[in-house]
Amino acid sequence: MNKRHSFRSLLLVLLVVLMTVSIWPVSAFAYVPYDTNYKDSFGQLVWTQSAYNPVAALGRDIYVPDPKDPSKQVYSPLVQPKDLFIDSKDHIYIADTGNSRIVHLDEKGQLLRILDVKESPLKKPEGLFIDQKGDIYVADTGNKRVVRLDNNGKLMKEFKQPTSKFLPDTFKYDPIKLVVDKRGFLYIATLGGYQGLLQLDPDGNFLSFFGANKTEFSVMDAFKRLVYTREMYLREISKLPGSVASVTIDQNGLIYTATKEVASGQLKKLNIAGKDLLAFKDEFSDSVTTKSFGEVRFPPKDKLQKPQLSDLTVDRSGNITAIDSTLKYVNQYDGNGNLLFFWGGSSPASSNRLGVVKTPSAIANNSKNELFILDEENGAVQMFRLSEFGALVHKANQLTQDGRYEESEKPWQEVLRLNAYYTPAVLGLAKAAYKKGEFEKAERLFFEAGFVQGYSDAYWQIRLQWFQKHFGLLMNIVLIGGLALYLLNRFTRNTSWRKAWKHRKPSEIPLVNQLKHAFYILKHPLDGFAAIRYEGKGSMLSSAILFLVSAASFCVMRAGTDFMFNPSAAQEINLVTIFTQFVIVWFGWVISNYLISTIYRGEGRFRDVVYGSSYALFPFVLLGLPLTFLSKLMTLSEAAIFSFLETALIAWVALLMVWKVQAMQNYSVGETGMNIFLSMATMTILGVLIFVTFGLTNELKDFFYSVYQEVTIR
């Protein structure tokens, strides 16, 4: 009886488990053939739940009347489709480039019609746009024109190459993508058009170029311009800015562009004046910095392969999603250009997997913020729908973007519960805490998120509140302390112990005097270094002590400087690595400087170079710790002061090194400059030689190991 009861209990438990599994949300077990990631403020890879799930592949079932027998239907697949557009009714339009036609599907992907403009046939169209009236604009690339069709597909107007004295003779009019604003103005991306988007009025008249990229100017280009003659420079290959690959427009009339073959500014969000709203002001200066877009999970095997963002779309929430035609990633950013997700997966060449796009050529979204990616190789449109996690992130981020920080707190908490490493959730909660006046919590969260400006703002408020609370006490301490010092000086001026201290004898311990000599060098550098050379004011022990203490102070500065001025402090810092780098640079300088001095009429001995180079580091000992402590009391509004003090410290050490060379080698000012220049060049050469030696050693080791494997196997 007991066995039968136990068996029934077991069956009941199994039944409950099966019922639970059957009613559990399908999305919890949904499998996607790609990984979704995020990169935090320090570039560290974070794995997240899937933001979008693949739903369907559309556009594969296209049948048209048989030309030989119109009563029959023949299969007519997409061939090298280049562009995709979804109108206000969520209807899907595809630029079927290989077939020189436009394919119109309904919201479910069912074929509605084929547009081929019989009165003026299309030729390899690569771009299209549908305005609010339903008029269809097609970038008819093969015919070098843009055509405007009414909603029935009838030709209304042609926009051929405009004539204008402002258009250069070298300009080629090959339209590939376009958008039309509410005024009817056209913004056309042309093949190789480095001047930017071609802006035409509704009548086709040229207005201007819009949203051009800047030419990248490297150090080598500056060097060439400095040393090349005009004839030599003219023979150089022209360095042109990147050409716009794609363009889209949002519901507010802002224009977005995607550019390939550039290192930064691959995505732009342009207002009517052509200003990039995704560029941001640097936190430490007034300069405008252009962001870099296009994410990479792991460095590709081919190091020459870099992200190439070829098309983009903007959803109703302002989120920007771009496709990478080279590495096959889908990258999604919010309206300010901050990364939300990126995803992608590999697929064997012989298989077709739902959700994996082999050759992405275009991307669009519908009114439900569903994504549609055009796969040129497979001739289909992959449809993606927001997952529960992705929808939650979008909701919370939209509230944050709208400034409703307190409302965003609960959604962000749920996101953080689902993924504790998703940094935007931490940042959203930090902004909510700041808005509610919880500045200490906000400071901690901004630090975790790696957001320097928010951390500084929160600390500013904490510091202000602390001063307001303790101002009276601080003033009393200052007044009482100042009065006490005045009275102490007044009543002890003629006492015996003050006179004895004033006329105290130098210490009889040589090491103490040698260490005190570092202070003398700060006031009289040339005489001080000369005294080390000719009067024995330094020793190996005192130099070693100063060097080690200086190295320790430098390590403390690098690791202890506050997060606001040293964002890497939020990560784990390897003090051994910092100390090793400091030692290598110092030894490289000592050896290089001594070698150059011996062949350049120098009088200093090797030990003089060692002693002097150690004493020249003394400002690190004197100011390193105070500067590190000061960084913890300042905010970004005082960044100019901190930067000046830090630069002054480095400059002080550098000047002491210069005076050391001049005094110990008995050089003139010109000879000192030449010696230092040659010493730096020697350091560079030594570094290259060491790098090459280690590289060859590793190669040689691998060679011998391969030979050993061959011998042992055979």
Side-chain angles (χ1 to χ4, degrees):
M1 190 70 178
N2 292 334
K3 289 183 179 180
R4 183 178 296 177
H5 179 73
S6 301
F7 182 70
R8 288 180 176 175
S9 300
L10 180 60
L11 286 177
L12 183 61
V13 170
L14 289 175
L15 182 61
V16 170
V17 171
L18 289 173
M19 290 178 63
T20 304
V21 171
S22 65
I23 64 173
W24 198 267
V26 176
S27 61
F29 295 94
Y31 167 76
V32 293
Y34 48 77
D35 296 313
T36 304
N37 298 96
Y38 171 80
K39 282 187 177 179
D40 64 16
S41 304
F42 308 103
Q44 295 178 325
L45 193 66
V46 177
W47 301 82
T48 75
Q49 294 89 329
S50 175
Y52 285 82
N53 294 325
V55 177
L58 311 176
R60 287 179 173 170
D61 300 325
I62 298 178
Y63 290 87
V64 298
D66 188 346
K68 298 179 180 179
D69 185 0
S71 63
K72 296 181 180 180
Q73 297 284 319
V74 294
Y75 180 54
S76 180
L78 300 173
V79 178
Q80 295 180 342
K82 294 290 187 181
D83 200 16
L84 181 68
F85 191 89
I86 299 178
D87 66 9
S88 57
K89 299 177 182 178
D90 289 342
H91 286 191
I92 302 167
Y93 293 79
I94 303 169
D96 190 2
T97 307
N99 289 318
S100 296
R101 64 187 184 180
I102 304 300
V103 176
H104 181 190
L105 310 177
D106 65 13
E107 66 276 9
K108 297 180 180 179
Q110 300 299 316
L111 178 66
L112 293 179
R113 57 178 173 166
I114 300 291
L115 302 174
D116 51 11
V117 194
K118 296 185 183 301
E119 62 268 36
S120 181
L122 302 174
K123 184 179 180 181
K124 297 188 180 302
E126 294 191 15
L128 51 87
F129 181 87
I130 290 84
D131 66 13
Q132 294 177 340
K133 301 176 185 176
D135 291 348
I136 305 166
Y137 293 78
V138 181
D140 192 8
T141 310
N143 287 321
K144 298 182 182 298
R145 63 176 182 172
V146 171
V147 296
R148 180 184 179 186
L149 314 176
D150 64 14
N151 53 13
N152 294 317
K154 184 179 179 181
L155 180 64
M156 297 176 62
K157 186 176 181 59
E158 283 185 317
F159 297 88
K160 294 185 177 181
Q161 179 169 346
T163 56
S164 173
K165 63 180 181 180
F166 299 107
L167 282 173
D169 296 334
T170 57
F171 176 73
K172 293 184 179 181
Y173 185 64
D174 296 309
I176 52 174
K177 296 289 170 66
L178 79 157
V179 295
V180 182
D181 65 14
K182 295 178 181 178
R183 304 169 297 173
F185 286 27
L186 287 78
Y187 297 82
I188 304 169
T190 58
L191 185 64
Y194 63 87
Q195 300 94 338
L197 298 172
L198 186 70
Q199 187 180 24
L200 306 180
D201 68 12
D203 295 323
N205 300 312
F206 173 74
L207 296 178
S208 65
F209 286 108
F210 184 83
N213 294 292
K214 294 181 179 179
T215 304
E216 296 181 3
F217 197 70
S218 64
V219 177
M220 182 57 68
D221 294 321
F223 177 76
K224 289 179 180 179
R225 180 169 290 187
L226 181 66
V227 301
Y228 279 20
T229 63
R230 179 178 177 80
E231 291 74 17
M232 294 169 63
Y233 201 78
L234 289 174
R235 285 197 296 268
E236 285 284 304
I237 298 175
S238 298
K239 198 175 183 71
L240 302 175
S243 60
V244 176
S246 185
V247 58
T248 190
I249 190 169
D250 69 8
Q251 54 192 353
N252 297 318
L254 296 174
I255 292 176
Y256 300 72
T257 62
T259 304
K260 300 192 289 186
E261 306 296 341
V262 292
S264 61
Q266 297 92 337
L267 301 179
K268 285 187 171 64
K269 179 181 181 180
L270 305 168
N271 61 14
I272 195 170
K275 181 181 178 182
D276 183 13
L277 302 181
L278 296 183
F280 65 98
K281 264 195 172 183
D282 188 73
E283 293 173 338
F284 300 99
S285 67
D286 291 330
S287 61
V288 177
T289 303
T290 304
K291 292 183 179 181
S292 179
F293 300 92
E295 311 304 324
V296 178
R297 185 178 294 123
F298 301 110
K301 295 180 180 179
D302 184 358
K303 294 183 179 180
L304 296 178
Q305 274 194 331
K306 295 181 180 179
Q308 301 293 337
L309 302 185
S310 57
D311 195 27
L312 75 165
T313 185
V314 182
D315 65 21
R316 299 299 189 272
S317 302
N319 300 314
I320 307 165
T321 310
I323 52 173
D324 181 349
S325 58
T326 300
L327 302 178
K328 311 298 189 294
Y329 287 115
V330 183
N331 306 270
Q332 187 169 82
Y333 306 87
D334 67 16
N336 293 323
N338 302 309
L339 179 65
L340 293 177
F341 305 101
F342 71 98
W343 66 91
S346 58
S347 177
S350 60
S351 67
N352 296 323
R353 304 172 68 187
L354 182 64
V356 176
V357 182
K358 288 187 176 181
T359 307
S361 58
I363 186 170
N365 61 267
N366 61 13
S367 61
K368 302 174 185 176
N369 287 348
E370 295 170 331
L371 287 178
F372 297 79
I373 301 177
L374 184 61
D375 191 338
E376 181 179 348
E377 182 176 341
N378 286 330
V381 179
Q382 297 259 20
M383 177 181 176
F384 298 82
R385 185 171 295 146
L386 272 169
S387 66
E388 293 180 8
F389 181 75
L392 189 61
V393 169
H394 278 204
K395 176 184 176 182
N397 192 66
Q398 185 63 42
L399 291 171
T400 299
Q401 296 291 318
D402 294 341
R404 294 183 287 173
Y405 301 115
E406 296 181 17
E407 294 180 49
S408 71
E409 191 170 12
K410 287 186 177 180
W412 280 132
Q413 286 174 345
E414 180 63 16
V415 171
L416 201 62
R417 186 188 68 81
L418 295 173
N419 191 328
Y421 298 99
Y422 190 65
T423 306
V426 180
L427 185 58
L429 290 173
K431 292 179 178 179
Y434 184 89
K435 183 70 174 179
K436 294 194 299 184
E438 300 173 356
F439 300 118
E440 292 184 359
K441 178 182 178 181
E443 181 191 35
R444 175 178 57 81
L445 291 173
F446 279 128
F447 179 82
E448 291 180 12
F451 187 58
V452 175
Q453 185 63 57
Y455 177 85
S456 174
D457 293 341
Y459 177 70
W460 172 277
Q461 297 294 338
I462 294 171
R463 191 179 67 176
L464 178 63
Q465 290 179 350
W466 190 89
F467 272 111
Q468 290 174 341
K469 184 177 180 180
H470 299 91
F471 182 77
L473 177 62
L474 287 174
M475 287 298 97
N476 290 333
I477 292 174
V478 170
L479 291 174
I480 294 172
L483 181 62
L485 288 174
Y486 172 77
L487 294 175
L488 180 65
N489 182 62
R490 179 70 180 266
F491 292 108
T492 62
R493 186 179 302 169
N494 298 318
T495 58
S496 57
W497 67 270
R498 285 282 299 271
K499 293 179 180 180
W501 174 257
K502 186 176 181 179
H503 298 93
R504 66 189 182 279
K505 295 180 180 180
S507 173
E508 296 181 358
I509 303 174
L511 179 61
V512 174
N513 292 328
Q514 290 164 356
L515 293 174
K516 288 171 61 178
H517 187 68
F519 290 96
Y520 181 81
I521 288 176
L522 298 180
K523 293 187 287 186
H524 309 284
L526 291 175
D527 292 340
F529 285 119
I532 293 177
R533 167 72 176 86
Y534 299 105
E535 300 176 20
K537 294 291 186 178
S539 68
M540 182 59 71
L541 181 59
S542 63
S543 299
I545 292 174
L546 287 173
F547 172 75
L548 292 174
V549 176
S550 299
S553 298
F554 181 80
C555 291
V556 170
M557 285 178 60
R558 287 288 303 274
T561 299
D562 195 75
F563 169 67
M564 278 178 284
F565 309 104
N566 181 28
S568 60
Q571 298 176 292
E572 185 177 350
I573 295 178
N574 193 331
L575 292 177
V576 175
T577 301
I578 298 174
F579 181 81
T580 303
Q581 292 172 346
F582 186 89
V583 171
I584 290 174
V585 171
W586 184 84
F587 268 108
W589 160 257
V590 168
I591 293 170
S592 301
N593 186 242
Y594 173 71
L595 292 175
I596 295 300
S597 299
T598 56
I599 61 176
Y600 193 64
R601 302 187 300 278
E603 299 179 3
R605 299 161 297 186
F606 180 73
R607 67 179 183 182
D608 298 328
V609 177
V610 173
Y611 295 171
S613 298
S614 298
Y615 275 79
L617 300 174
F618 186 61
F620 284 128
V621 180
L622 198 64
L623 297 179
L625 291 177
L627 191 60
T628 302
F629 176 75
L630 186 63
S631 72
K632 299 185 180 300
L633 302 178
M634 305 176 77
T635 65
L636 284 181
S637 58
E638 295 103 25
I641 300 173
F642 180 82
S643 179
F644 171 78
L645 294 175
E646 192 174 41
T647 304
L649 173 58
I650 302 297
W652 195 1
V653 173
L655 283 173
L656 288 177
M657 288 290 184
V658 172
W659 287 322
K660 183 270 297 183
V661 173
Q662 183 178 1
M664 290 190 162
Q665 306 297 341
N666 196 19
Y667 282 151
S668 65
V669 175
E671 291 173 330
T672 302
M674 180 57 68
N675 177 282
I676 292 173
F677 173 77
L678 293 175
S679 298
M680 298 298 292
T682 305
M683 280 184 67
T684 304
I685 294 171
L686 284 175
V688 172
L689 288 176
I690 292 172
F691 177 78
V692 172
T693 301
F694 273 102
L696 291 177
T697 302
N698 288 331
E699 292 290 336
L700 193 63
K701 181 185 69 174
D702 293 339
F703 171 74
F704 281 120
Y705 182 69
S706 299
V707 172
Y708 168 76
Q709 283 185 319
E710 289 288 336
V711 172
T712 53
I713 291 173
R714 295 186 181 183

